[in-house]
Amino acid sequence: QVQLVESGGGLVQAGVSLRLSCAASERIFSSYTMHWFRQAPGKEREFVAAVVWSGSRTYYADSVKGRFTISRDNAKNTVLLQKNSLRPEDTAVYYCAATASRAVYIGQPMEYWGKGTLVTVSS
């Protein structure tokens, strides 16, 4: 059973940067496609970014493209989400998720989820 643990959330002001980290418990992490999702208050959970097992391809939601960067370190079983130029609308609980599928598409089911970390961006 793969366990995912997010960290790095907090209360920040608009315009600053924040980096989220997701640590996986198993070595199979290196073969999984890793995703970040977020769920804002009163809204449905939405896709934010994904990175394939090798780190060679990344995917982003239009709302974060150019501001967020996803990366992974397979040696450390960790995936990062660097968030720059934060906006109040980025306020959400951010979830790390994993799937063995090499494909990335909207609505894709995830096999493992973390419990989330809250990011609050004040204006």
Side-chain angles (χ1 to χ4, degrees):
Q1 181 78 8
V2 175
Q3 292 185 342
L4 304 175
V5 180
E6 303 93 338
S7 61
L11 172 63
V12 297
Q13 289 190 330
V16 304
S17 299
L18 193 66
R19 189 175 73 173
L20 303 183
S21 179
C22 173
S25 62
E26 299 291 337
R27 294 184 65 183
I28 57 174
F29 166 88
S30 63
S31 64
Y32 276 59
T33 300
M34 300 301 298
H35 298 244
W36 284 97
F37 290 80
R38 67 185 181 185
Q39 187 167 17
K43 296 187 177 181
E44 294 188 352
R45 188 157 51 191
E46 64 176 1
F47 168 80
V48 174
V51 57
V52 300
W53 68 274
S54 64
S56 61
R57 289 201 314 275
T58 56
Y59 305 82
Y60 297 95
D62 288 342
S63 58
V64 306
K65 201 172 294 183
R67 298 189 299 122
F68 291 10
T69 302
I70 188 171
S71 61
R72 66 190 296 160
D73 184 340
N74 288 342
K76 297 181 179 180
N77 291 355
T78 300
V79 61
L80 303 175
L81 184 67
Q82 178 68 39
K83 303 161 55 177
N84 299 330
S85 302
L86 282 166
R87 304 167 180 170
E89 54 264 39
D90 293 320
T91 294
V93 177
Y94 285 74
Y95 297 91
C96 177
T99 175
S101 171
R102 299 296 175 94
V104 175
Y105 55 91
I106 298 298
Q108 180 180 18
M110 297 292 111
E111 293 167 40
Y112 302 103
W113 288 91
K115 294 183 178 181
T117 184
L118 176 63
V119 174
T120 303
V121 183
S122 63
S123 57

